[in-house]
Amino acid sequence: MLVLLERLTPTERMVFVMREAFGFDYLEIAELLGKRETNCRMLMSRARSKMGITEEEQVAAEAVELEWVSRFLTHPSSKVTSIMCCPC
């Protein structure tokens, strides 16, 4: 988590977490962030590069309950979201 905070921009962090941790596809991420799908793919590529993750070492997304993901996304004031968006 510390590497995420230190190396990635807030938008790169959001794309990385939504893709790798929650398994969202790029179109879903783009819609949630108000960006184009192509931009989200580029942000993910940059995030992986900054994290030192090669294409062969991609982080496998684990199955996550839809309810948990929904709660996370609907509570932007949560500490986790605040940490991801604004490193202090």
Side-chain angles (χ1 to χ4, degrees), residues 1 5 13-14 71-72 75-88:
M1 187 68 160
L5 292 172
R13 281 193 292 270
M14 292 303 291
R71 282 190 299 174
F72 177 82
H75 296 293
S77 63
S78 73
K79 289 181 182 180
V80 174
T81 304
S82 298
I83 289 169
M84 284 176 34
C85 295
C86 181
C88 299

Side-chain angles (χ1 to χ4, degrees), residues 19-21 57-63:
R19 177 74 178 163
E20 296 295 341
E57 299 175 312
Q58 290 184 13
V59 178
E62 296 181 18

Side-chain angles (χ1 to χ4, degrees):
M1 187 68 160
L2 185 58
V3 174
L4 280 172
L5 292 172
E6 291 177 342
R7 296 185 185 172
L8 305 182
T9 66
T11 307
E12 288 169 342
R13 281 193 292 270
M14 292 303 291
V15 171
F16 185 83
V17 170
M18 282 193 258
R19 177 74 178 163
E20 296 295 341
F22 300 140
F24 283 51
D25 65 34
Y26 289 107
L27 183 58
E28 291 172 313
I29 296 169
E31 289 172 357
L32 287 168
L33 297 180
K35 299 196 174 291
R36 293 188 329 223
E37 183 178 354
T38 309
N39 291 3
C40 290
R41 288 180 184 277
M42 182 56 71
L43 287 163
M44 185 63 178
S45 177
R46 282 190 215 131
R48 283 185 178 136
S49 178
K50 289 179 180 181
M51 298 284 291
I53 300 171
T54 64
E55 291 297 318
E56 298 81 38
E57 299 175 312
Q58 290 184 13
V59 178
E62 296 181 18
V64 179
E65 290 184 37
L66 185 56
E67 179 186 348
W68 190 88
V69 173
S70 176
R71 282 190 299 174
F72 177 82
L73 293 175
T74 57
H75 296 293
S77 63
S78 73
K79 289 181 182 180
V80 174
T81 304
S82 298
I83 289 169
M84 284 176 34
C85 295
C86 181
C88 299

